[in-house]
């Protein structure tokens, strides 16, 4: 039983420029096949692991402390994804996997969704993200 950080992107963004950014930040870019949310997503997405760790129990996402260097590294990665022209958003989901929590999550009608633009994303927002809540980070460039 572990916490797992899963990322989701729009399918049009699953291309070589996305893979390049993942390699640059030493992030995995394999499709996550054992994903609890895929059948329940509001739109079609591609799930992938956000880290190469076997378990993300020690993640700073949802950990409550905005001072963790890990959060700044995640934000740098998310900002670098703006170089991918077909990528509209990235969603992150921190879920504690256990038989009981998975059954409870599957029974819920809707998973909470928060949205923010990459320009407004802060370490505090990541640190305070509740478990089993999806955070959608919009990556489009603002024109003002």
């Amino acid at each position: 039983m572990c916490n797992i950080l899963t990322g989701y992107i729009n399918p049009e963004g699953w291309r070589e420029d996305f893979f390049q950014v993942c390699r640059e930040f030493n992030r995995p870019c394999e499709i996550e096949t054992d994903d609890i949310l895929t059948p329940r997503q509001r739109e079609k997405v591609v799930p992938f692991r956000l880290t190469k760790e076997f378990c993300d129990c020690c993640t700073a996402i949802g950990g409550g402390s905005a001072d963790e260097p890990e959060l700044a590294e995640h934000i740098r990665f998310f900002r670098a994804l703006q170089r991918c022209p077909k990528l509209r958003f990235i969603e992150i989901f921190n879920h504690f996997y256990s038989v009981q929590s998975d059954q409870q999550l599957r029974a819920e009608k809707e998973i909470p969704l928060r949205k923010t633009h990459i320009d407004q994303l802060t370490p505090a927002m990541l640190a305070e993200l509740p478990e089993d809540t999806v955070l959608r980070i919009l990556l489009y460039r603002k024109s003002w």
Side-chain angles (χ1 to χ4, degrees), residues 16 76 90 105 128:
E16 183 54 39
R76 281 192 293 279
I90 181 168
L105 196 61
E128 295 166 4

Side-chain angles (χ1 to χ4, degrees), residues 37 41-42 50 85 93 113 119:
L37 287 188
Q41 288 293 329
R42 295 159 182 83
L50 272 177
F93 182 65
L113 173 69
D119 292 344

Side-chain angles (χ1 to χ4, degrees), residues 64-100:
S65 175
D67 297 330
E68 292 290 331
E70 174 195 345
L71 299 175
E73 184 62 20
H74 282 301
I75 291 173
R76 281 192 293 279
F77 171 62
F78 300 149
R79 287 196 173 132
L81 291 174
Q82 287 184 295
R83 298 189 309 232
C84 305
K86 299 283 186 180
L87 201 56
R88 295 176 312 174
F89 63 83
I90 181 168
E91 293 179 341
I92 58 175
F93 182 65
N94 184 11
H95 175 61
F96 181 74
Y97 277 81
S98 72
V99 173
Q100 183 180 9

Side-chain angles (χ1 to χ4, degrees), residues 14-129:
W14 191 257
R15 347 173 316 150
E16 183 54 39
D17 50 5
F18 171 75
F19 305 146
Q20 178 61 38
V21 173
C22 287
R23 285 190 294 270
E24 181 183 326
F25 283 82
N26 196 28
R27 303 291 177 114
C29 53
E30 297 85 26
I31 292 177
E32 176 63 49
T33 56
D34 185 28
D35 178 61
I36 194 169
L37 287 188
T38 300
R40 304 183 53 194
Q41 288 293 329
R42 295 159 182 83
E43 62 184 277
K44 190 167 176 72
V45 293
V46 178
F48 67 99
R49 286 292 306 275
L50 272 177
T51 71
K52 290 186 174 183
E53 302 298 326
F54 174 77
C55 159
D56 295 307
C57 287
C58 295
T59 184
I61 293 179
S65 175
D67 297 330
E68 292 290 331
E70 174 195 345
L71 299 175
E73 184 62 20
H74 282 301
I75 291 173
R76 281 192 293 279
F77 171 62
F78 300 149
R79 287 196 173 132
L81 291 174
Q82 287 184 295
R83 298 189 309 232
C84 305
K86 299 283 186 180
L87 201 56
R88 295 176 312 174
F89 63 83
I90 181 168
E91 293 179 341
I92 58 175
F93 182 65
N94 184 11
H95 175 61
F96 181 74
Y97 277 81
S98 72
V99 173
Q100 183 180 9
S101 68
D102 286 3
Q103 288 172 345
Q104 181 181 352
L105 196 61
R106 290 178 201 281
E108 292 179 17
K109 291 183 179 167
E110 193 168 320
I111 304 300
L113 173 69
R114 294 182 177 184
K115 292 182 184 180
T116 189
H117 187 272
I118 187 67
D119 292 344
Q120 277 78 48
L121 184 64
T122 65
M125 292 172 87
L126 293 177
E128 295 166 4
L129 183 67

